[in-house]
């Protein structure tokens, strides 16, 4: 009889807790929450177990502290949110030093206890934290990936849907580049189920939507006052984990290791990839015009600067 898959969530904060709820409800596999605040991980796990009779899911949710990484043993997927989120007025890069320390410890834990896992990093600054995870675990490039593009795209889908009076589900969009304020939404490759965006939303409004998408994380940080977005980031990472666990081969924009694609080598940056049982199975390349190429180059400069600060 096939046993259940195992999903380790490292970081049991706002995103970690939401990931556990979604993974449980979708019955993706047994869930293990890990946090330096052991009680938080154990408490959220117990609270979620206590929803099972009502929500009717049959996977186990357990929790533990970072003193016992053995609980993630042989996890199929690890989703990492360990670290701290932004406060109002902070940039993602302001988090680098403190979160690098967390990622380094988590990467060692994953390397020893879940050496075959598919690792999805969410901790910011995203593109350099996923790079650090890749370097420290020494895992192959297809098994380490960053969540950002799915979220950025989902924000764009919602804003376009709202402006056009259509369901965000029917907005197809693509965002390239680093997960920062200079990310690159590709309007030419976006549509409402094939209908060009410009048929439904006027150009000035679209430009405003691009700007709002770029600053979408900051908008939520400012509204919340403490912490950053967690529902949409968690839903985005679950889409990636599900595509891997079920070999769905979905095409999702993710921070992936580039090995010459888009003329870039040796960094993680947002590009469309195919996620299936082989992890990041393929990076898909689209043609870029001069303006898009210039935006990607600018975004890459920020990513490379952040990666250089990791000194890895
Ligand atoms: P939060 O609710 O603070 O949860 C983070 C958890 O990590 C806390 O419970 C900490 O105790 C725990 N932690 C810290 N260090 C360690 C460690 N070494 N090992 C295990 N656990 C640890 O934050 P959150 O869940 O809202 O956000 C988590 C991260 O995701 C932050 O860095 C955010 O900036 C980032 N984030 C990224 C995106 C992207 O799109 C990439 C979106 C939203 C948030």
């Amino acid at each position: 009889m096939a046993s259940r898959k195992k999903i380790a969530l490292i970081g049991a904060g706002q995103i970690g807790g939401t990931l556990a709820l979604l993974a449980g409800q979708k019955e993706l596999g047994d869930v293990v929450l890990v946090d330096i605040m052991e009680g938080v991980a154990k408490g959220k796990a117990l609270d979620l177990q206590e929803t099972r009779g009502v929500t009717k899911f049959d996977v186990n949710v357990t929790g533990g502290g970072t003193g016992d990484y053995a609980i993630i043993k042989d996890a199929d997927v690890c989703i990492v949110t360990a670290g701290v989120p932004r406060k109002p007025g902070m940039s993602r890069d302001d988090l680098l030093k403190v979160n690098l320390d967390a990622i380094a410890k988590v990467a060692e834990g994953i390397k020893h206890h879940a050496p075959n896992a598919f690792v999805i990093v969410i901790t910011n600054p995203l593109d350099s934290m996923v790079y650090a995870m890749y370097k420290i675990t020494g895992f192959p490039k297809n098994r380490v990936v960053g969540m950002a593009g799915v979220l950025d795209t989902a924000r764009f889908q919602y804003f376009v849907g709202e402006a056009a009076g259509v369901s965000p589900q029917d907005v197809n969009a693509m965002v390239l580049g680093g997960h920062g304020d200079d990310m690159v939404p590709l309007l030419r490759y976006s549509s409402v189920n094939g209908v060009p965006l410009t048929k439904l939303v006027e150009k000035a409004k679209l430009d405003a939507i691009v700007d709002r998408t770029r600053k979408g994380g900051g908008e939520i940080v400012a509204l919340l006052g403490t912490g950053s977005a967690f529902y949409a980031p968690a839903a985005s990472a679950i889409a990636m984990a599900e595509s891997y666990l079920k070999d769905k081969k979905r095409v999702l924009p993710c921070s992936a290791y580039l090995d010459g694609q888009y003329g870039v080598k040796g960094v993680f940056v947002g590009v469309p990839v195919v996620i299936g049982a082989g992890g990041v199975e393929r990076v898909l390349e689209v043609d870029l015009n001069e303006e898009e190429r210039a935006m990607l180059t600018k975004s890459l400069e920020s990513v490379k600067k952040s990666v250089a600060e990791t000194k890895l």
Side-chain angles (χ1 to χ4, degrees):
M1 203 170 71
S3 61
R4 286 188 203 137
K5 298 289 186 188
K6 179 167 172 179
I7 299 149
L9 306 175
I10 305 169
Q14 296 279 61
I15 302 178
T18 313
L19 286 167
L21 175 66
L22 295 174
Q25 287 185 328
K26 283 177 165 279
E27 296 188 319
L28 291 184
D30 288 330
V31 174
V32 180
L33 279 160
V34 182
D35 203 288
I36 36 171
M37 315 239 296
E38 185 173 345
V40 171
K42 286 186 165 166
K44 287 194 180 182
L46 179 60
D47 192 12
L48 284 163
Q49 292 279 56
E50 290 167 0
T51 70
R52 286 178 46 191
V54 189
T55 51
K56 314 225 181 285
F57 64 75
D58 283 315
V59 292
N60 270 310
V61 187
T62 50
T66 43
D68 182 20
Y69 259 104
I71 60 173
I72 74 164
K73 188 176 159 33
D74 295 335
D76 297 283
V77 173
C78 295
I79 309 183
V80 181
T81 58
V84 295
R86 285 195 277 171
K87 294 193 177 73
M90 279 176 103
S91 79
R92 293 177 178 90
D93 284 325
D94 292 336
L95 302 172
L96 191 131
K97 216 172 162 315
V98 49
N99 284 355
L100 180 59
D101 189 45
I103 288 294
K105 292 185 179 119
V106 172
E108 290 294 345
I110 293 176
K111 184 177 168 177
H112 286 105
H113 296 286
N116 299 312
F118 180 56
V119 185
I120 301 172
V121 177
I122 305 185
T123 304
N124 271 318
L126 193 267
D127 302 286
S128 46
M129 292 303 103
V130 65
Y131 178 84
M133 178 64 66
Y134 166 72
K135 281 287 183 183
I136 298 167
T137 55
F139 283 7
K141 60 180 189 286
N142 61 310
R143 280 207 283 118
V144 182
V145 70
M147 187 293 295
V150 180
L151 170 64
D152 296 330
T153 304
R155 288 181 172 146
F156 184 77
Q157 286 175 299
Y158 170 66
F159 299 145
V160 169
E162 195 189 27
V166 301
S167 165
Q169 282 185 59
D170 291 326
V171 180
N172 311 119
M174 192 182 327
V175 176
L176 284 188
H179 181 56
D181 293 348
D182 47 16
M183 66 184 82
V184 187
L186 289 183
L187 292 182
R188 274 195 317 138
Y189 290 101
S190 306
S191 74
V192 175
N193 274 355
V195 178
L197 294 184
T198 43
K199 290 269 179 216
L200 296 169
V201 185
E202 63 186 48
K203 175 80 174 75
K205 180 82 189 156
L206 272 180
D207 290 343
I209 287 175
V210 167
D211 191 52
R212 191 174 175 196
T213 303
R214 287 192 167 129
K215 297 174 184 151
E219 184 178 354
I220 305 238
V221 168
L223 284 168
L224 292 179
T226 55
S228 55
F230 52 99
Y231 293 121
S236 303
I238 288 293
M240 293 163 66
E242 188 174 21
S243 193
Y244 172 73
L245 290 166
K246 298 184 180 170
D247 193 22
K248 285 168 80 95
K249 302 199 191 298
R250 292 200 57 197
V251 175
L252 299 167
C254 300
S255 183
Y257 186 85
L258 293 188
D259 213 359
Q261 299 94 338
Y262 294 93
V264 181
K265 228 176 157 64
V267 289
F268 281 77
V269 75
V271 287
V273 301
V274 177
I275 296 187
V280 176
E281 295 183 347
R282 266 187 302 157
V283 171
L284 303 184
E285 287 189 83
V286 295
D287 293 331
L288 300 179
N289 64 25
E290 223 170 278
E291 190 193 351
E292 291 155 353
R293 170 67 54 192
M295 285 195 286
L296 181 61
T297 303
K298 181 164 176 272
S299 178
L300 270 166
E301 277 164 17
S302 314
V303 171
K304 283 182 180 162
K305 195 165 151 264
S306 176
V307 167
E309 279 183 48
T310 67
K311 300 191 171 59
L312 286 165

